């Protein structure tokens, strides 16, 4: 089976469900520099030393998504089914070239098999669209808590650094 290959973003139309806010994936350095100024001015003096760590954590996710061919990323807040809690969710759309062009259902079968071989755990389903079937795979990941002294949280911490 061929390896996943990154490719230029295709022309693609998607309808994003209501309630999601787009996270820009391009020119993160400019975006975060403007955020640095805004955050430094907005936070209490006791939190200003943490601004670089917050920006490092903010840079980590969209930079990782962009490096993995994400076409769209957004976050939303939604009420849980019992309407008693607010849940935060992320929606990411990526596109990969996966071998030679062939029947999309065979390609999706190979992708499902590859996930099973890697013991990937999550919710997987095939969504039938008017044009082609689409693989939907949802999973949760836990990441170390960023080292932000003014926001104490128990558990392992990690400093996020920006690399160029």
């Amino acid at each position: 089976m061929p390896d996943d290959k990154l490719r230029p973003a295709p022309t693609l139309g998607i309808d994003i469900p209501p309630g999601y806010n787009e996270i820009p994936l391009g020119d993160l350095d400019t975006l975060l520099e403007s955020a640095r100024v805004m955050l430094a001015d907005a936070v209490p003096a006791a939190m200003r030393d943490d601004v670089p760590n917050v920006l490092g954590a903010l840079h980590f996710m969209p930079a990782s998504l962009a490096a993995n061919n994400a076409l769209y990323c957004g976050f939303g807040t939604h009420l849980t089914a019992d309407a008693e809690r607010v849940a935060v969710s992320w929606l990411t759309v990526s596109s990969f070239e996966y071998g030679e062009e062939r029947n999309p259902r065979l390609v999706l079968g190979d992708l499902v098999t590859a996930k099973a071989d890697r013991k990937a755990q999550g919710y997987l389903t095939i969504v039938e669209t008017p044009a082609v079937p689409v693989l939907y795979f949802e999973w949760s990941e836990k990441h170390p808590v960023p080292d932000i002294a003014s926001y104490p949280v128990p558990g392992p911490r990690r400093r996020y650094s920006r690399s160029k």
Side-chain angles (χ1 to χ4, degrees):
M1 181 180 329
D3 294 331
D4 292 349
K5 295 179 183 173
L6 295 179
R7 65 180 171 139
T11 302
L12 177 69
I14 55 175
D15 291 324
I16 303 301
Y20 282 94
N21 301 287
E22 184 172 2
I23 297 170
L25 298 174
D27 199 6
L28 293 175
D29 291 331
T30 301
L31 177 68
L32 290 176
E33 180 56 28
S34 64
R36 183 192 63 76
V37 172
M38 182 183 69
L39 278 174
D41 290 343
V43 300
M47 296 175 73
R48 287 200 181 108
D49 288 344
D50 289 323
V51 169
N53 291 335
V54 170
L55 291 176
L58 289 174
H59 188 271
F60 169 76
M61 184 175 170
S64 297
L65 290 170
N68 285 290
N69 228 34
L71 304 174
Y72 171 88
C73 182
F75 70 95
T77 54
H78 316 278
L79 289 177
T80 57
D82 60 13
E84 292 185 13
R85 293 176 292 130
V86 173
V88 176
S89 64
W90 299 88
L91 174 64
T92 305
V93 177
S94 298
S95 176
F96 296 92
E97 185 174 314
Y98 199 79
E100 71 280 357
E101 189 171 323
R102 60 194 177 111
N103 182 319
R105 285 170 178 73
L106 296 176
V107 173
L108 293 182
D110 288 348
L111 288 170
V112 169
T113 300
K115 288 194 177 298
D117 290 347
R118 288 192 304 261
K119 298 185 180 3
Q121 295 183 1
Y123 173 75
L124 183 144
T125 190
I126 304 293
V127 178
E128 293 291 336
T129 70
V132 294
V134 174
L135 174 68
Y136 175 83
F137 186 68
E138 178 180 357
W139 74 98
S140 296
E141 289 184 8
K142 293 187 179 206
H143 295 276
V145 177
D147 187 13
I148 302 172
S150 56
Y151 187 75
V153 176
R157 295 180 173 272
R158 174 179 176 195
R159 286 207 177 269
Y160 291 91
S161 61
R162 295 175 59 191
S163 60
K164 293 189 177 198

